[in-house]
Amino acid sequence: MSSYALGIDLGGTFARAAVVDGGGGLVSAAKTALVDRSPAAVVEAIALAAEEASGLAQDATLEACGVGVAGQLQGDEGFISLAPNLGWRDVPFGALLTARLGRPVKVVNDLAAAAWGELVAGAGKGFSDLFVVYVGSGVGSAIIARGQPLRGARGVAGEFGHIKVQPANGRPCGCGQQGCLEAYVGGVNLLAQMRDLHQRGQAGALLALTRNDPAAFTPAVLERAASSGDPGAQGIYEPAVDYLSVAIANQITLLNPARLILGGGVLMNCPGMRERIREGIQHHSTQVSLKGFTVAEAALGDDSGIIGAAMLAI
Amino acid sequence: MSSYALGIDLGGTFARAAVVDGGGGLVSAAKTALVDRSPAAVVEAIALAAEEASGLAQDATLEACGVGVAGQLQGDEGFISLAPNLGWRDVPFGALLTARLGRPVKVVNDLAAAAWGELVAGAGKGFSDLFVVYVGSGVGSAIIARGQPLRGARGVAGEFGHIKVQPANGRPCGCGQQGCLEAYVGGVNLLAQMRDLHQRGQAGALLALTRNDPAAFTPAVLERAASSGDPGAQGIYEPAVDYLSVAIANQITLLNPARLILGGGVLMNCPGMRERIREGIQHHSTQVSLKGFTVAEAALGDDSGIIGAAMLAI
């Protein structure tokens, strides 16, 4: 009999649950919208999605349950110190969910889960040393070393979005510090800079690409405007791409992964950004770290996190 | 019966060999100067030191042999792609030394060896997740994750000296690239910048501290002149310390080690630099990565590399 696990992906808007087989394949899945984001209501919504997914996979005996959460975790018990999308601070999420589901759950960072999913069943299959960078609303990363996720002493390794790229007088970041990589290149911050440009009356190129609708601004629109030579768009795009590509190149030098995997909404929708990252690595990483090194795009899309959470729990 | 291993530390001037017991204690040691730095002569010098150290430790049956080398390694066979201090490029050192000693040898980067020595028998004892930074003539680091050295896909992880801190128009580095951390803060580069200052006639404060002898310039002299407010010295010291402390703080954020260990001649002789690194971490690292985090100085001095090389080989 094959082994199965329950994987859960807790975002800011939806909770998704799926039964995953031992090879990382999805057997069944369910999704529920988070109307009320209080911890109790979110735990209840997850439980309903989990029951639905389990019910659809009748024959599967679930061996374990893993949850990926977009937030900063502390310790091994699923204590969430900060989850901005949920408005949570210091929530004993793992304990609450364990009590509601009546089974142990393993709570991990959503990007660590996505990276693990990509390792087991996606773009990292067959590699032992990986660096995975996700740029979506926020920026995060995960490191796989010797086939194991590098979690750090307190389980909070991989916070790539909060390395400082502009230590003096940098842009304020959602984390409360300033000059973080995420403050320049995270999707939320790219959009905020585009709106600022619009308010200063300098977003002509962006408006021309969106039929004069600032609500249609996206990072992909920014990339198109910047590559057409618009100075306003370049003023946002160029520092973002430069900071990101040097920061990634430096981690290739330091970690010497066999492969870099790029994922997340911003990177998947901005081919020019991915190309600049490849160029930056060639230019800035040590030559010796690039022997046999490859870059790949995330292959599992939105499923990587749910698959990875399940596989990490097994 | 206790287990013993042979540890070798290959620098640019001396080769040292020692018999190390299973707990990381030195049983015997021998040292030989490298007159001729050709690979064949160096291998011969190492063999003589190894025989002397083994002879002094009569009862010890050597189970393994490890060598730490200040150079860039490639693969698992001790192939040295670059060792500037020895003037080597693409030398199959592991194969040569194995043939001469008649036993398998494990070749590792000297800083990886030093970090491992500190972990097993020094400032890292009892910790599973460490980041070790050495600033001496050059700059290097080693990462211990889950109690294992993070070596990377090709064994060249930890090249902290060659991350780019000034990607555009940075100082040229000995590695052939520019803007590397080592180009600003490595001892060789600090001295070069002090000599440049002297040639421009702006080294008054440095000369006052060295009885007008430029040959007595050291990083410690630079630190004293900078802290006395001398603009010339500050122009070298401040960027170096800022780059170093932000780069270290960023790795604390990303790797979440339980402890940072600082070692190497420059850091050991510049207490102000160590203090600034501590301040930089408090200011720039994520708060969540600093829970329970400590900073320590390397405790084994010059012996860390030889002990670590032996212990890595066991």
Side-chain angles (χ1 to χ4, degrees), chain A:
Chain A
M1 202 180 73
S2 184
S3 65
Y4 297 90
L6 187 65
I8 294 163
D9 180 20
L10 177 57
T13 320
F14 291 95
R16 296 169 67 232
V19 173
V20 178
D21 68 29
L26 282 193
V27 177
S28 67
K31 183 174 176 176
T32 181
L34 302 174
V35 184
D36 176 350
R37 286 180 192 147
S38 69
V42 167
V43 164
E44 195 56 36
I46 290 174
L48 293 178
E51 279 161 23
E52 191 184 336
S54 308
L56 291 169
Q58 296 166 355
D59 294 342
T61 306
L62 300 177
E63 291 186 1
C65 173
V67 192
V69 182
Q72 287 184 352
L73 291 157
Q74 212 179 306
D76 288 329
E77 310 294 324
F79 187 90
I80 296 179
S81 42
L82 188 67
N85 294 339
L86 291 162
W88 289 3
R89 188 177 277 275
D90 295 335
V91 172
F93 173 67
L96 295 173
L97 189 61
T98 295
R100 175 61 182 82
L101 295 182
R103 62 158 71 240
V105 298
K106 186 177 179 72
V107 184
V108 295
N109 177 270
D110 61 337
L111 293 163
W116 191 247
E118 289 290 341
L119 173 79
V120 174
K125 221 169 169 173
F127 292 85
S128 296
D129 298 276
L130 288 167
F131 186 47
V132 188
V133 174
Y134 275 67
V135 182
S137 308
V139 176
S141 74
I143 300 161
I144 307 283
R146 297 170 177 258
Q148 296 286 327
L150 189 156
R151 301 193 57 206
R154 297 259 164 163
V156 299
E159 287 281 1
F160 191 52
H162 301 291
I163 68 166
K164 301 299 171 287
V165 294
Q166 183 59 269
N169 303 314
R171 276 178 60 81
C173 182
C175 73
Q177 297 190 333
Q178 56 180 46
C180 297
L181 178 59
E182 181 169 302
Y184 293 89
V185 73
V188 167
N189 282 287
L190 288 175
L191 292 178
Q193 292 175 85
M194 293 166 82
R195 285 192 298 267
D196 288 349
L197 195 69
H198 177 52
Q199 288 195 331
R200 294 199 304 273
Q202 296 166 7
L206 299 176
L207 290 168
L209 287 165
T210 55
R211 299 169 189 245
N212 287 314
D213 180 9
F217 286 178
T218 63
V221 167
L222 179 71
E223 177 167 287
R224 290 219 300 283
S227 65
S228 77
D230 177 66
Q234 286 178 341
I236 301 168
Y237 183 82
E238 289 298 318
V241 174
D242 282 344
Y243 286 138
L244 179 63
S245 49
V246 172
I248 291 176
N250 283 345
Q251 291 311 129
I252 305 307
T253 291
L254 200 74
L255 301 171
N256 183 31
R259 170 167 276 191
L260 167 71
I261 299 176
L262 299 174
V266 172
L267 285 179
M268 295 316 271
N269 290 306
C270 294
M273 214 178 264
R274 298 200 303 272
E275 186 53 33
R276 288 276 291 273
I277 291 169
R278 288 172 191 264
E279 290 169 8
I281 290 167
Q282 289 300 323
H283 192 66
H284 294 300
S285 299
T286 55
Q287 293 310 301
V288 73
S289 68
L290 296 181
K291 298 225 169 123
F293 169 81
T294 52
V295 182
E297 289 161 29
L300 301 179
D302 288 344
D303 291 335
S304 59
I306 212 162
I307 292 170
M311 302 303 286
L312 275 170
I314 289 180

Side-chain angles (χ1 to χ4, degrees), chain B residues 277-302:
Chain B
I277 291 169
R278 289 171 191 264
E279 291 169 7
I281 290 168
Q282 289 300 323
H283 192 66
H284 294 301
S285 298
T286 55
Q287 292 311 301
V288 72
S289 69
L290 296 179
K291 298 223 168 125
F293 169 81
T294 53
V295 182
E297 288 161 29
L300 300 180
D302 287 345

Side-chain angles (χ1 to χ4, degrees), chain B residues 228-255:
Chain B
S228 77
D230 177 64
Q234 286 179 339
I236 300 168
Y237 183 82
E238 290 297 320
V241 175
D242 283 344
Y243 287 139
L244 179 62
S245 50
V246 172
I248 290 177
N250 283 345
Q251 291 311 129
I252 305 308
T253 291
L254 200 74
L255 300 172

Side-chain angles (χ1 to χ4, degrees), chain B residues 184-202:
Chain B
Y184 293 89
V185 73
V188 167
N189 282 286
L190 287 175
L191 292 179
Q193 292 174 84
M194 293 166 82
R195 284 194 298 267
D196 287 350
L197 195 69
H198 178 52
Q199 289 195 329
R200 294 199 304 272
Q202 298 166 6

